[in-house]
Amino acid sequence: MCISKRVLSIKPSPTLAIDAKAKALKQQGVDVINFGVGEPDFDTPANIKEAAITAINAGFTKYCPVAGTPELKNAIINKLKRDNGLAYAPDEIIVSSGAKHSIYNLIQSVIDDGDEVIIPAPYWVSYTDIVILAGGKPVIINTSDKTNFKIIPENIEKVLTSKTKAIIVNSPSNPTGVTYAVDELKAIAQVCVKNKILIISDDIYEKLVYDNFKFTSIAEVSPEAKESTIVINGVSKAYSMTGWRIGYAAGSKNIISAMTKTQSQSTSNASSISIKAAVEALNGTQQYVEFMRKEFEKRRNYILERLNAVKGVECRKPEGAFYVFPNIKAFLGKSFNGKNISTDIELADYLLDVAKIAVVPGSAFGADGYIRLSYATSIENIKTGIDRLETALKG
């Protein structure tokens, strides 16, 4: 009876729930292939771990400035200049406990009750609930594999109202792996700048792009776009540091200041040890990042070929991240042992129960009739898992 209406209106993260269920089955001795998890299977690079150990031994274990240490802020500033050609001052940077935390702080700091945030679907599962927790209203633009899961300016203009406050752009995308080209980003930025819409650019998969695709943040496309954009990034995906919980945001001083005030009343600073590790990640050698990227590209090519060879499955080629998002609508409405499978949720349950593979239903991302598979696992696991999927779908 004491739970707030806002908390009651949201749901637990379905990707984390499925990952937890798969891990629980493994602990029981069940041979489960987990395609549900959204984290690299590689270890954190040795130089980053050594930096953390050094920090512990040096006693770097006390409170840090809320928005991040000057050392890490400078590393982030140098990274944004080096990789993206974007210039920021220290008071335009905040470090948080993961990129999700950065997005949460941002939405809490800029969204009032009834404000609308445009979110293209398929979307990362937390976007909508983070907006709802702030009292805002998610406004969904639906896409499909027929439109390459992309939005265009006309889509945005159709949903604009007097309450539109922000839009979330995620490229490369979770769950589809879609990336936007420069001209596509320019067109989206122009309509946002014209209508004074805050752009939230989730760039967390920036380093994981394939086929010689050059990543561009929407903040890069024009000075006006940069002024209208808060860039969200972190070290979790590119450096295999998901558990270290370091994300950051870059943008206008007044919004970063508001985010810092919000964070000061919740978590305060991010972990001091993780901060030192993140400095090394951004300033140190980037060779391991390229090694992981190449391995992910090999896995993407393999899983894509295997999926599209399964009769009834259609899967577009993702340009980035480490997910595939196949269309499985051909299997809905069918049955197994007298049990009807009418939704992607029921299909995901069937695959876990019968095939012992964990996938995430597309409806969790606002896209019914799809499933998401992460290829952040070994080629051997992918081979075994797709063998099982193919057998199960034939049944």
Side-chain angles (χ1 to χ4, degrees):
M1 292 175 64
C2 297
I3 307 302
S4 72
K5 290 180 180 178
R6 284 185 179 173
V7 170
L8 290 172
S9 68
I10 66 170
K11 55 191 178 298
S13 168
T15 51
L16 294 180
I18 288 167
D19 181 47
K21 186 175 180 180
K23 287 177 178 175
L25 287 172
K26 278 199 167 187
Q27 287 180 344
Q28 297 168 22
V30 181
D31 179 21
V32 175
I33 302 294
N34 190 356
F35 289 123
V37 66
E39 65 177 349
D41 56 316
F42 300 102
D43 193 10
T44 302
N47 62 307
I48 297 172
K49 293 192 290 184
E50 285 299 324
I53 293 167
T54 299
I56 293 170
N57 290 333
F60 192 74
T61 56
K62 307 299 182 183
Y63 289 130
C64 298
V66 171
T69 62
E71 184 184 27
L72 181 51
K73 283 192 174 190
N74 285 333
I76 292 166
I77 289 168
N78 291 335
K79 179 265 172 231
L80 290 167
K81 183 68 175 177
R82 178 182 70 235
D83 295 349
N84 311 107
L86 295 170
Y88 293 97
D91 58 6
E92 295 175 314
I93 303 290
I94 180 174
V95 177
S96 304
S97 299
K100 180 188 285 190
H101 189 213
S102 299
I103 295 170
Y104 182 87
N105 286 338
L106 173 58
I107 296 296
Q108 286 290 331
S109 300
V110 302
I111 297 300
D112 287 316
D113 288 350
D115 283 347
E116 296 176 351
V117 179
I118 299 171
I119 303 174
Y123 46 73
W124 178 49
V125 295
S126 292
Y127 291 149
T128 52
D129 288 319
I130 287 174
V131 170
I132 291 168
L133 273 174
K137 177 185 176 183
V139 176
I140 308 302
I141 299 177
N142 291 305
T143 69
S144 73
D145 47 353
K146 308 306 178 189
T147 59
N148 283 324
F149 297 117
K150 293 185 180 183
I151 59 168
I152 56 176
E154 289 84 350
N155 301 141
I156 300 171
E157 290 167 343
K158 286 179 182 177
V159 299
L160 289 177
T161 73
S162 60
K163 294 184 177 181
T164 304
K165 191 74 169 281
I167 184 172
I168 299 178
V169 177
N170 179 209
S171 172
S173 160
N174 175 6
T176 63
V178 161
T179 54
Y180 282 84
V182 175
D183 58 338
E184 295 169 326
L185 292 172
K186 282 183 179 178
I188 292 170
Q190 285 172 358
V191 71
C192 292
V193 170
K194 175 184 173 184
N195 291 281
K196 296 181 171 59
I197 302 170
L198 176 68
I199 304 169
I200 301 169
S201 184
D202 185 349
D203 298 351
I204 192 68
Y205 293 98
E206 163 191 13
K207 297 289 187 180
L208 302 177
V209 291
Y210 314 116
D211 302 323
N212 298 313
F213 183 90
K214 185 184 182 302
F215 168 82
T216 302
S217 172
I218 197 169
E220 297 178 50
V221 301
S222 71
E224 296 78 16
K226 179 176 180 287
E227 290 300 311
S228 300
T229 300
I230 301 294
V231 172
I232 304 291
N233 211 323
V235 297
S236 293
K237 311 299 183 180
Y239 301 95
S240 197
M241 294 176 67
T242 51
W244 298 77
R245 310 312 302 137
I246 293 290
Y248 59 85
S252 64
K253 177 181 176 180
N254 64 320
I255 292 179
I256 297 300
S257 176
M259 292 173 66
T260 302
K261 183 164 63 173
T262 299
Q263 183 164 296
S264 74
Q265 297 295 358
S266 56
T267 61
S268 299
N269 60 276
S271 160
S272 60
I273 305 305
S274 296
I275 283 173
K276 282 291 190 179
V279 170
E280 175 60 25
L282 296 176
N283 287 346
T285 177
Q286 303 297 299
Q287 290 180 343
Y288 200 72
V289 177
E290 178 60 10
F291 165 77
M292 287 192 291
R293 190 201 66 78
K294 287 181 177 178
E295 288 301 309
F296 283 135
E297 186 167 19
K298 292 176 187 175
R299 297 174 184 182
R300 179 210 59 169
N301 294 341
Y302 178 77
I303 196 170
L304 186 70
E305 181 182 0
R306 289 293 311 276
L307 282 171
N308 281 319
V310 177
K311 186 178 180 181
V313 174
E314 297 178 9
C315 189
R316 72 173 296 280
K317 188 178 188 179
E319 300 89 1
F322 40 64
Y323 310 106
V324 283
F325 201 62
N327 184 323
I328 46 80
K329 294 176 184 178
F331 300 95
L332 303 184
K334 299 185 182 296
S335 62
F336 178 76
N337 285 346
K339 182 180 179 181
N340 191 49
I341 299 173
S342 57
T343 68
D344 52 28
I345 297 173
E346 291 172 347
L347 182 65
D349 286 340
Y350 164 70
L351 291 174
L352 185 56
D353 293 340
V354 174
K356 300 297 183 286
I357 59 173
V359 303
V360 187
S363 53
F365 307 97
D368 296 349
Y370 298 84
I371 55 175
R372 190 196 77 173
L373 292 84
S374 167
Y375 50 88
T377 187
S378 68
I379 285 285
E380 292 75 19
N381 280 343
I382 294 172
K383 181 182 185 305
T384 301
I386 300 302
D387 285 345
R388 294 180 184 181
L389 180 138
E390 185 171 16
T391 300
L393 292 181
K394 283 180 179 178

